[in-house]
Amino acid sequence: MRYELYYWPEIQGRGEFVRLALEEGGADYIDVARRRGRGRDAIAALIHREGIKRRPYAPPVLKAGKLLIAQTALILHYLGPPLRLVPRGEADRLWALQLQLTITDLVKEIHDTHHPISTALYYEDQRPAAMHYTREFWRNRVPKLLGYFDDVLRHSRGPYVFGGRRSYVDLSLFQIVDGLRYAFPKRMRRFENKVPRLTQLHDAVAERPRIAAYLQSERRIPFNEWGIFRAYPELDG
Ligand SMILES: N[C@@H](CCC(=O)N[C@@H](CS)C(=O)NCC(=O)O)C(=O)O
């Protein structure tokens, strides 16, 4: 199966959680908007195409044969078994999906640190609210949510959420830690010792041969100030 990923070509964004899975799973895939040089038009053509009965709302979208699948967590739930990125049993697959949906919630909250009022407004037009939101986010939400995932890893005995076997959830948690380090270097340095198992998971994923090769490649778009994780020094406390 040759998969097609439709996602914005200039950012990691939510597409990155899918890219990491495709890379670690050794999938045959095309990052359509990047590789064919069609950029944003490729996504617009898909999302706004007339006559699609089951039209996806927003990228990332995965095309697998005739299937068009949107929603990051659902895409990963779908890719898990063929790419061997999740155990086969139903309870394990649901556990992975449950964790991934919690990551989806966290991603939205991370995004809201720079866009707390509206995605339709520029960051510069909501900076005071962003500073307020971000302070509360780090005071209450980061300890609760990252603490939760660290606890999941304590129960699984690590380094991964299924113990010794990596899954798509681990790849996403790697991305969360990596992104928070980029966006909030000072805050993360102060906080990270409270979630040592997440840090270990991050390092274990980064050392996996396929991920290490991907991170060194041009396929990995550098972090920048258009994606989910944005480095605005005034938000870093
Ligand atoms: N819950 C969805 C969110 C999808 C989403 O917000 N996609 C962004 C790009 S990263 C978008 O283009 N959204 C358009 C919109 O929300 O109107 C997911 O996890 O895939």
Side-chain angles (χ1 to χ4, degrees), residues 7-8 11 13-15 57-60 70-73 104 228:
Y7 195 69
W8 307 119
I11 59 169
R14 290 179 174 86
Y57 172 69
Q71 291 288 351
T72 311
T104 301
I228 290 163

Side-chain angles (χ1 to χ4, degrees), residues 69-95:
I69 308 164
Q71 291 288 351
T72 311
L74 184 65
I75 295 171
L76 294 172
H77 179 69
Y78 170 78
L79 285 176
L83 299 188
R84 299 181 187 279
L85 290 173
V86 73
R88 288 235 161 237
E90 185 183 35
D92 284 342
R93 286 193 70 198
L94 290 177
W95 175 231

Side-chain angles (χ1 to χ4, degrees), residues 104-113 133 137 141 145:
T104 301
D105 295 343
L106 172 57
V107 168
K108 166 80 169 83
E109 292 196 31
I110 294 169
H111 184 267
D112 288 351
T113 59
Y133 182 100
F137 174 70
R141 303 301 290 165
L145 278 151

